[in-house]
Amino acid sequence: EHAPQFKNLEFLFPETTRNFSQLPLQYKGFCGYSIALFDRLLIPGNPLIGVLRYKDHFFSFTSKEAAVKFAADPDRYIAHIAEAAKRSPELIQLLELHMQFSTITPYGKSAEPGHMIEKPLTKRDSGVQTEVHPIESHIDPDYEWNEWEMRRKAIKLANLRTRITHGVQTDLSNFRRNNATQMYLPRDKPSQTKREKGTSVPKPRVFIAGLRGCSSEKTEAYKVDLTLDVDTHNDICD
């Protein structure tokens, strides 16, 4: 027989599905229709009659009639099974419904098997600080609280109304104005030529002979000038 056609549903069979025996069955392989209809009755399903695929979940059933009725409205039956698990919390671990209950950790992931199956809620301390009486900061520099100071300023302003400014101009100051001039100071600027030329003079050299080791009582010294002339010195340097 051909399976009835449902929207967004698909029936898988051993003859047409690869790795059929390795499909992860929902509710640990128990029939979801029986759990919802017969008040949490756990009956193993028979995958050989067909497996229903709905939203990437695989459901097995005890009979073809149960599969067809479950496929007619799968969301309603899934909600009934979740409500039944709330009344019997042991079904959450048995049927692996921890994905529908985010605060429950499966047995395999708990610290101690059989203990601490309820996932601890993450908490943290936080604080908020606000001003007690926020007041807009506005300072008026012309504000005056002293009454006598305000009277003094009022009298000063009243006296200014009777004052007159006088100006006098003479013939010498007529049509005079201030002038300003600007000058550029001289600056130093070096220049470079393409030739370099220098002169070198010989160093004077004088030798005095007869200052040590004379046989006579009177010392006779001779002064010898060893300074080279300019031409000879230049030839040696070149």
Side-chain angles (χ1 to χ4, degrees):
E1 297 180 1
H2 296 285
Q5 300 294 328
F6 296 96
K7 187 177 181 181
N8 299 328
L9 298 175
E10 181 183 3
F11 281 95
L12 305 179
F13 299 96
E15 298 82 5
T16 59
T17 305
R18 182 179 300 178
N19 299 327
F20 182 81
S21 60
Q22 300 179 3
L23 293 177
L25 298 179
Q26 194 75 357
Y27 308 132
K28 277 293 188 67
F30 291 101
C31 178
Y33 178 78
S34 301
I35 298 174
L37 186 64
F38 301 112
D39 192 17
R40 295 161 284 176
L41 179 62
L42 300 179
I43 302 178
N46 184 12
L48 299 179
I49 64 176
V51 175
L52 175 63
R53 180 180 180 181
Y54 176 68
K55 294 182 178 180
D56 292 333
H57 295 290
F58 303 93
F59 303 87
S60 62
F61 304 95
T62 56
S63 62
K64 296 181 180 180
E65 293 78 8
V68 173
K69 291 181 180 180
F70 187 92
D73 193 1
D75 292 331
R76 182 170 65 90
Y77 287 99
I78 292 175
H80 283 321
I81 295 174
E83 292 295 331
K86 292 180 182 179
R87 295 193 299 270
S88 300
E90 63 275 7
L91 295 178
I92 298 176
Q93 299 292 342
L94 179 62
L95 303 180
E96 295 183 350
L97 299 177
H98 52 272
M99 296 299 295
Q100 299 183 18
F101 301 90
S102 59
T103 59
I104 302 300
T105 302
Y107 279 109
K109 296 183 181 180
S110 61
E112 298 180 4
H115 300 279
M116 196 59 184
I117 62 175
E118 185 175 355
K119 184 184 298 183
L121 299 177
T122 304
K123 297 181 179 180
R124 63 179 180 180
D125 297 332
S126 61
V128 179
Q129 184 177 5
T130 60
E131 297 183 14
V132 181
H133 300 291
I135 301 176
E136 184 180 358
S137 177
H138 178 70
I139 300 176
D140 187 3
D142 298 331
Y143 174 77
E144 185 61 54
W145 63 272
N146 192 345
E147 181 181 356
W148 294 102
E149 182 65 22
M150 296 175 63
R151 291 185 177 185
R152 187 187 66 81
K153 292 182 178 180
I155 294 173
K156 182 179 179 180
L157 293 176
N159 293 335
L160 288 177
R161 298 182 59 184
T162 60
R163 300 295 186 269
I164 301 175
T165 302
H166 299 275
V168 178
Q169 187 176 18
T170 62
D171 293 337
L172 296 178
S173 63
N174 188 21
F175 298 110
R176 294 286 185 89
R177 64 176 182 177
N178 297 326
N179 292 333
T181 58
Q182 183 179 6
M183 59 178 297
Y184 293 95
L185 298 176
R187 59 178 180 175
D188 297 333
K189 187 174 182 181
S191 61
Q192 184 178 5
T193 61
K194 296 182 179 181
R195 294 180 58 187
E196 291 184 2
K197 189 175 182 181
T199 58
S200 178
V201 297
K203 184 177 181 181
R205 297 177 183 272
V206 179
F207 178 75
I208 302 176
L211 293 180
R212 73 169 69 164
C214 297
S215 59
S216 61
E217 296 179 359
K218 184 179 181 181
T219 302
E220 295 180 359
Y222 301 94
K223 183 177 180 181
V224 181
D225 188 7
L226 300 178
T227 304
L228 300 176
D229 56 351
V230 177
D231 296 335
T232 306
H233 178 75
N234 292 336
D235 294 338
I236 295 174
C237 293
D238 295 340

